[in-house]
Amino acid sequence: MIGLISATAAGAAARDRLAAAWPDRTRVYEGPAGEAVRAAFAECDRLVCFLATGATVRLLAPLLGDKAADPGVVCVDEGGRFAVSLVGGHGGGANELAHEVAGLLGAEPVVTTATDAVGLAGLDTLGLPAEGAVAAVSRALLDGEPVALEAESAWPLPPVPFAEHGAYTVRVTDRAVRPGPDEVLLRPPSLVVGVGASRGAPVEEVLGLIEEALREAGLSVRSVAELATVDAKAEEPGIVAAAGRLGVPLVTYPADELAAVCVPNPSDAPLAAVGTPSVAEAAALRAGGELLVPKRKSAANPAMATCAVVRRPGRGRLAVVGLGPGARDLLTPRAAAELRRASVLVGLDQYVDQIRDLIRPGTRVLESGLGAEEERARTAVAEARKGNAVALIGSGDAGVYAMASPALAEASDDIDVVGVPGVTAALAAGAVLGAPLGHDHVSISLSDLHTPWEVIERRVRAAAEADIVVTFYNPRSRGRDWQLPKALAVLSDHREPGTPVGVVRNASRPDESARVTTLAELDPATVDMMTVVTVGNTATRNIAGRMVTPRGYRWQHAPEGAR
């Protein structure tokens, strides 16, 4: 929950804008500022104070304790010009919140954390619990000193400029070891604990068994990713409470699914009770990986809990990112976040140039030229399979005539895949033209490099016969100058010569150009590969120079008195 505090009418107005935008995330604290800050500090994860920074510092000073536990605080000035990350930039989430608040209020985010200021990913923002000399190793990175990465298991980390050797070390490990004086330990969520329990098993017995099993195996409890059990135990209080105390999800599986898992220590007791010869081992192994701790029972007499521990391998992460049509303000925040998260970026060289300033230090960039789409797809998947966090970029939406299709054709279920949507060229051109896509519409590429012309022509004819608005991608190039005239001729068999046609070149870019013409008047020679051509249907009209395809609402056609 985000606590909102203000002291003046101007501050309250900005505060109320946040409250209205985030009704489920915020709580307004009324009354004197000092009392409001104290209450919010005790009850909320983060605070936004619409106060002067000096006043906010004085109110916070007696409340501050441990930066790992204190809430993050963002301070917004009376004029709503700046959102300052004041306290808890990383651990408290204030840096991220400052950007969110600034985006909503139209303010400027002010973040002074050293790593953020130079574009480095902070060691405490990599998404893994960090232990050890975080400040010292972060300072070494900032000073350009070599910091070595020792990953006992591959894990998709954000970009950090690690060296092969160095006096400072970042170690990725789930083992219960202590960090050295110049070392940071990152705890990957690599351990799955399978749990079984008799009805009424106390949480102390379940949790004690888990902690003992991990301790004796030399494993860190901070690397536990989840508890797993059979569906029949999904609401067993001791198991549910143990997951809650560990701060991990409880995952359950049907008994017949667990019964199919080959385990070293099956038993008749759980088979009779819940329908599977193994609960703890089978549930842990269901996640895939190496069985580190075979089934063991709690020490109570009679024992009411069992557990087993599996180490699952690190899974690479492939984000397929749509960059939009080219304008920076049409690049989505989610896409920008994925670019910052990726340790490996794969893309067409001209697309990489568009977003090079967003790439963090330490990111490995693999770029290639036109015609290498399949190579880029294979490269991105191969890098993800090595355990990396990969971003594969494409223009528009990556799933529309772009890189998602060849990449997902290469990928299997051994990596995690995330799709990041983008604004397509058709949508960008449509916004420039007016509302040509107001009813049913279809996009068709006229490039016959990958699709036989006979197939393309059949699709154009089907759209023409169905009276659907058509947007043509890849309409014409130096080597392909006859496809667009042929497609327009097919449409002309079903549409009047005066049908509106929109032609947009470089939609959303500085050299954007657009015009609305007709099916009869369009000169294909004025079109190139940077152009999107949108042909209206029989209902599309040119209204005040804009293409409009009616949605078909009845009230638009009803007599005035009947509306």
Side-chain angles (χ1 to χ4, degrees), residues 220-555:
S220 171
V221 70
R222 301 190 75 184
S223 280
V224 174
E226 61 190 43
L227 299 192
T229 191
V230 67
D231 280 351
K233 297 296 179 178
E235 297 181 3
E236 183 63 42
I239 296 177
V240 173
R245 292 194 191 179
L246 291 170
V248 299
L250 175 63
V251 178
T252 66
Y253 300 102
D256 58 349
E257 199 170 306
L258 296 184
V261 178
C262 182
V263 298
N265 299 292
S267 172
D268 293 334
L271 179 61
V274 294
T276 172
S278 173
V279 173
E281 285 181 340
L285 286 167
R286 178 61 180 75
E290 176 189 4
L291 183 64
L292 301 181
V293 180
K295 181 182 75 174
R296 58 183 297 166
K297 297 180 180 180
S298 54
N301 190 10
M304 299 185 72
T306 60
C307 82
V309 182
V310 160
R311 174 186 286 138
R312 60 184 183 187
R315 289 172 62 87
R317 186 176 190 276
L318 173 62
V320 188
V321 181
L323 300 180
R328 177 55 60 85
D329 59 354
L330 292 182
L331 176 74
T332 67
R334 186 179 300 181
E338 287 293 348
L339 297 177
R340 291 192 296 269
R341 176 173 180 166
S343 60
V344 179
L345 186 138
V346 182
L348 179 68
D349 47 14
Q350 63 190 55
Y351 297 153
V352 172
D353 288 341
Q354 290 180 20
I355 47 84
R356 204 175 290 275
D357 61 303
L358 297 178
I359 301 172
R360 273 182 160 161
T363 303
R364 187 156 48 95
V365 179
L366 306 176
E367 52 190 308
S368 52
L370 288 168
E373 289 82 5
E374 292 182 6
E375 175 192 341
R376 285 194 290 275
R378 286 193 293 268
T379 297
V381 171
E383 288 293 335
R385 285 187 174 133
K386 295 176 184 177
N388 294 315
V390 181
L392 174 62
I393 61 173
S395 66
D397 182 281
V400 179
Y401 301 123
M403 294 305 302
S405 179
L408 298 192
E410 289 285 334
S412 54
D413 62 359
D414 57 346
I415 61 173
D416 295 325
V417 177
V418 177
V420 182
V423 177
T424 67
L427 293 177
V432 173
L433 294 170
L437 309 182
H439 210 298
D440 296 337
H441 54 275
V442 63
S443 295
I444 299 176
S445 171
L446 294 183
S447 172
D448 55 0
L449 296 178
H450 301 289
T451 305
W453 174 254
E454 293 76 15
V455 175
I456 297 172
E457 183 174 348
R458 186 167 68 246
R459 292 170 179 173
V460 174
R461 193 173 305 281
E465 293 173 352
D467 196 25
I468 295 176
V469 175
V470 181
T471 296
F472 289 125
Y473 280 69
N474 307 313
R476 183 176 182 273
S477 67
R478 292 179 181 178
R480 295 186 301 100
D481 58 0
W482 58 268
Q483 287 89 343
L484 178 59
K486 179 63 175 175
L488 295 175
V490 172
L491 290 174
S492 296
D493 291 341
H494 300 270
R495 300 185 193 180
E496 295 296 325
T499 300
V501 176
V503 181
V504 182
R505 188 176 191 278
N506 284 335
S508 86
R509 299 187 183 186
D511 56 346
E512 169 189 287
S513 64
R515 68 185 189 279
V516 177
T517 181
T518 66
L519 193 56
E521 295 174 347
L522 175 61
D523 180 4
T526 64
V527 173
D528 63 12
M529 283 289 287
M530 306 303 295
T531 305
V532 171
V533 177
T534 301
V535 182
N537 65 10
T538 55
T540 305
R541 297 290 181 266
N542 184 331
I543 301 175
R546 292 182 284 269
M547 281 183 73
V548 179
T549 300
R551 178 65 182 89
Y553 293 115
R554 292 185 179 89
W555 57 263

Side-chain angles (χ1 to χ4, degrees), residues 34-115:
E35 296 178 10
V37 167
R38 285 192 292 274
F41 195 91
E43 298 170 358
C44 297
D45 300 319
R46 292 176 289 177
L47 280 66
V48 179
C49 298
F50 296 87
L51 306 166
T53 53
T56 306
V57 167
R58 284 191 292 274
L59 293 173
L60 289 173
L63 307 176
L64 297 175
D66 183 350
K67 72 174 186 178
D70 289 342
V73 180
V74 171
C75 194
V76 179
D77 65 289
E78 292 288 301
R81 298 170 299 167
F82 303 103
V84 182
S85 175
L86 195 64
V87 173
H90 286 166
N95 290 353
E96 179 184 354
L97 181 59
H99 284 281
E100 288 189 87
V101 171
L104 197 147
L105 298 180
E108 181 75 21
V110 179
V111 175
T112 58
T113 309
T115 50

Side-chain angles (χ1 to χ4, degrees), residues 95-163:
N95 290 353
E96 179 184 354
L97 181 59
H99 284 281
E100 288 189 87
V101 171
L104 197 147
L105 298 180
E108 181 75 21
V110 179
V111 175
T112 58
T113 309
T115 50
D116 294 80
V118 298
L120 282 175
L123 295 176
D124 50 355
T125 67
L126 299 183
L128 304 180
E131 305 171 14
V134 174
V137 177
S138 296
R139 172 54 58 189
L141 286 167
L142 287 167
D143 291 343
E145 297 186 46
V147 175
L149 174 66
E150 295 181 3
E152 296 178 5
S153 62
W155 214 264
L157 296 175
V160 177
F162 290 120

